[in-house]
């Protein structure tokens, strides 16, 4: 595996291969089995947006793998003063063995991979959030014992999470039903991938129809990082779109709730349903660590899947 730029670059079998290694690394961590597979290697982590989970799980993960991670805020490195992505890719490749980046434009991540000579991992862009969705699929498989044939439902904004969930879910054989308010649909590029899966993908403005008989329900914030100026307009457009007890009632009785976090209680999610499913949601957050360790090993050992 050379890079993790977006999930549509991977086949379903490759995604499942990452999840298998993630399960193994989680087992090794829980049982104190050494797995220092990246001894002596350094990961540079560029952040142009805030983060709790991504930053801490990558840094802890590199340490557990015997390597080192370096936090590079764009406020502190020359990237924030106008040094280009191309120049940054060239110079960082001389020092580190891999680069993780959280930024705005997907094209910046692709350019980093093009002009650098080390693996690049996407830690979230406006377009997608592949590391999160690998952790999500890992968590669903832990709880449900399988992925193929399950119905995934996403309610809310057609944002980076929506784009990655629909690609990831479809690639591993799930049915994906997505409900967004009008004009908040997922990105056309992600939708083009989804259309290849025929009636396995449903896009609707009817959130109750999307939730019907779902095995797992996802939601995410109404206003993503970088969209703060639209907060008021979005609050208006998403009024009534909360995942709450009424909506959960349309799903299967054993439905599982997932949220990438941070969550906004009383906005996209009702606090009572969140608290009922808090274990599954924080297992999902924990699995960021294990899924990303798998990605780091596969990219930085340059292992094929
Ligand atoms: N879910 C997620 O990526 O969280 P952070 O923004 O805290 O990294
Ligand atoms: N859609 C959210 C996800 C945060 C992890 C955002 O981009 O802000």
């Amino acid at each position: 595996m050379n890079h993790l730029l977006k999930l549509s670059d991977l086949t379903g079998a490759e995604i499942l291969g990452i999840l298998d290694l993630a399960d193994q690394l989680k087992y090794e961590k829980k049982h104190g089995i050494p797995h220092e597979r990246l001894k002596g290697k350094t990961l540079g982590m560029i952040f142009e947006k805030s983060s709790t989970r991504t930053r801490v799980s990558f840094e802890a993960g590199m340490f557990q793998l015997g390597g080192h991670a370096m936090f590079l805020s764009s406020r502190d490195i020359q990237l924030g003063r106008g040094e280009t992505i191309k120049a940054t890719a060239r110079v960082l490749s001389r020092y580190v063995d891999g680069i993780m980046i959280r930024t705005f434009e997907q094209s910046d991540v692709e350019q980093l991979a093009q002009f650098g000579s080390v693996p690049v991992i996407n830690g979230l862009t406006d377009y997608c959030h592949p590391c999160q969705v690998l952790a999500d699929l890992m968590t669903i498989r832990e709880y449900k014992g399988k992925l193929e044939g399950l119905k995934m439902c996403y309610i809310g904004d057609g944002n980076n999470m929506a784009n990655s969930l629909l690609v990831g879910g479809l690639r591993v054989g799930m049915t994906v039903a997505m409900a967004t308010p009008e004009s908040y649909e997922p990105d056309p590029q992600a939708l083009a991938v989804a259309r290849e899966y025929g009636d396995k993908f449903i896009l609707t403005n009817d959130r109750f129809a999307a939730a019907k008989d779902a095995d797992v329900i996802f939601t995410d914030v109404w206003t993503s990082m970088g969209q703060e100026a639209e907060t008021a307009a979005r609050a208006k457009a998403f009024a009534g779109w909360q995942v709450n007890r009424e909506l959960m009632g349309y799903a299967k009785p054993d439905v599982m709730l997932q949220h990438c976090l941070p969550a906004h209680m009383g906005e996209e999610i009702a606090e009572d349903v969140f608290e009922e499913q808090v274990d599954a949601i924080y297992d999902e957050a924990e699995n960021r660590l294990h899924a990303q360790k798998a990605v780091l090993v596969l990219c930085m050992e340059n292992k094929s899947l």
Side-chain angles (χ1 to χ4, degrees):
M1 188 173 173
N2 295 326
H3 304 286
L4 176 62
L5 307 180
K6 54 186 184 301
L7 288 182
S8 53
D9 296 337
L10 301 174
T11 64
E14 285 170 334
I15 292 173
L16 294 173
I18 297 171
L19 303 190
D20 290 343
L21 179 57
D23 286 346
Q24 183 194 321
L25 292 168
K26 182 170 183 174
Y27 179 88
E28 289 174 359
K29 170 80 174 62
K30 300 273 175 204
H31 292 84
I33 301 166
H35 50 278
E36 297 197 337
R37 295 174 62 162
L38 297 179
K39 229 181 165 94
K41 303 223 172 175
T42 303
L43 178 75
M45 308 191 299
I46 303 173
F47 281 91
E48 297 203 72
K49 291 176 176 172
S50 302
S51 170
T52 298
R53 280 143 287 268
T54 305
R55 178 186 174 176
V56 177
S57 56
F58 266 106
E59 192 162 332
M62 273 307 286
F63 178 75
Q64 291 166 19
L65 290 166
H68 176 68
M70 210 180 269
F71 175 67
L72 305 168
S73 161
S74 60
R75 278 192 296 275
D76 303 325
I77 61 172
Q78 299 287 7
L79 185 66
R81 295 182 57 251
E83 189 168 21
T84 61
I85 281 281
K86 184 172 172 178
T88 305
R90 285 174 166 161
V91 73
L92 287 185
S93 296
R94 302 290 179 122
Y95 305 130
V96 300
D97 305 286
I99 303 171
M100 195 284 309
I101 179 166
R102 165 168 288 198
T103 188
F104 296 86
E105 301 292 332
Q106 178 69 16
S107 58
D108 282 353
V109 179
E110 309 268 347
Q111 235 189 66
L112 202 56
Q114 183 187 346
F115 291 102
S117 55
V118 296
V120 172
I121 299 169
N122 183 343
L124 179 146
T125 60
D126 292 347
Y127 176 61
C128 65
H129 198 0
C131 291
Q132 178 68 53
V133 170
L134 290 172
D136 298 345
L137 295 174
M138 177 181 178
T139 314
I140 298 168
R141 197 168 71 161
E142 271 177 4
Y143 274 70
K144 301 285 182 192
K146 62 173 186 176
L147 291 168
E148 195 167 357
L150 296 182
K151 179 176 176 182
M152 173 199 286
C153 162
Y154 176 91
I155 305 285
D157 185 24
N159 60 14
N160 42 13
M161 276 303 298
N163 294 333
S164 285
L165 278 169
L166 69 86
V167 173
L170 291 166
R171 284 274 197 265
V172 298
M174 299 174 87
T175 295
V176 178
M178 205 156 260
T180 72
E182 225 170 290
S183 81
Y184 288 95
E185 284 85 8
D187 188 276
Q189 225 183 303
L191 288 179
V193 177
R195 302 289 184 217
E196 294 167 17
Y197 290 83
D199 60 9
K200 291 252 182 213
F201 177 66
I202 301 136
L203 181 61
T204 173
N205 302 128
D206 180 346
R207 59 197 183 282
F208 299 110
K212 185 143 181 18
D213 297 327
D215 294 286
V216 51
I217 293 187
F218 280 87
T219 189
D220 187 19
V221 292
W222 293 338
T223 302
S224 286
M225 290 181 278
Q227 299 173 331
E228 288 76 8
E230 299 171 28
T231 305
R234 285 173 168 271
K236 213 166 145 195
F238 286 91
W241 279 78
Q242 186 182 82
V243 172
N244 54 22
R245 201 173 292 288
E246 183 194 6
L247 188 115
M248 296 289 284
Y250 284 79
K252 288 203 181 135
D254 64 346
V255 65
M256 178 181 173
L257 178 65
Q258 295 277 269
H259 192 308
C260 67
L261 306 177
H264 292 70
M265 300 298 167
E267 291 183 27
E268 78 275 5
I269 186 83
E271 192 160 4
D272 57 350
V273 294
F274 183 94
E275 287 299 332
E276 270 171 25
Q277 301 247 357
V278 75
D279 289 341
I281 293 168
Y282 283 91
D283 282 341
E284 175 190 13
E286 178 188 327
N287 284 338
R288 294 292 303 278
L289 174 71
H290 309 297
Q292 286 159 197
K293 282 166 75 179
V295 170
L296 288 165
V297 165
L298 291 165
C299 285
M300 290 167 82
E301 283 185 345
N302 200 11
K303 284 259 170 1
S304 54
L305 281 158

